[in-house]
Amino acid sequence: MESERNVLGGELAPCSMDPETGFMRDGYCYPLQRDPGRHEICAVMTAEFLEYSKAQGNDLVTPRPELNFPGLDPGDHWCVCVPRWIEAHEDGRAPPVNLEATSEDVLEDIDLETLKGYAADADSDVDAAGE
């Protein structure tokens, strides 16, 4: 993990250990060849995004113990798929992003200025303001 970088150029921070997120359920949003969904954006869940995702066929609210999935609540941090975040952004429903925990590979598809416009604030347990 030491070699992974975030969109700001620093070392990739963990997204969430509770609930445990990431394709490998190790807390990190980094690229893996075997992850076709590209769970590389650390997002702070909002009720609006959870409803949007469910309407698109991906229910992130209902627990699925057989898949080690606890179900998410607003405020939870979760590695979301790059294509889904882009869809939500285009529809005006993208969730805030923890830039320190979002893989730099995302920059191939989303520019940094767009991501900065969604930077999570201190109210979401992310210190984006540096205070």
Side-chain angles (χ1 to χ4, degrees):
M1 279 305 307
E2 299 82 37
S3 65
E4 290 299 330
R5 311 303 290 171
N6 64 39
V7 295
L8 300 174
E11 184 177 333
L12 187 66
C15 181
S16 175
M17 298 308 277
D18 184 22
E20 204 166 42
T21 191
F23 185 76
M24 300 298 295
R25 294 294 194 265
D26 59 3
Y28 289 86
C29 307
Y30 54 87
L32 288 170
Q33 267 190 311
R34 65 180 185 245
D35 174 15
R38 297 191 57 206
H39 295 80
E40 299 166 17
I41 297 179
C42 180
V44 181
M45 296 297 97
T46 62
E48 184 179 36
F49 178 75
L50 291 169
E51 290 168 16
Y52 177 81
S53 186
K54 187 173 185 176
Q56 303 305 311
N58 187 18
D59 180 357
L60 297 174
V61 177
T62 305
R64 303 273 312 268
E66 70 278 13
L67 299 176
N68 192 26
F69 180 70
L72 302 177
D73 295 308
D76 286 342
H77 292 215
W78 194 251
C79 296
V80 300
C81 298
V82 174
R84 173 70 66 212
W85 192 92
I86 291 170
E87 280 179 3
H89 166 64
E90 290 172 351
D91 286 344
R93 297 180 176 198
V97 175
N98 176 338
L99 299 175
E100 292 82 11
T102 296
S103 169
E104 70 179 350
D105 283 40
V106 169
L107 297 174
E108 296 171 8
D109 299 287
I110 307 166
D111 66 77
L112 184 57
E113 289 310 308
T114 298
L115 291 170
K116 283 182 175 180
Y118 286 88
D121 59 25
D123 294 332
S124 61
D125 298 322
V126 176
D127 191 3
E131 297 173 0

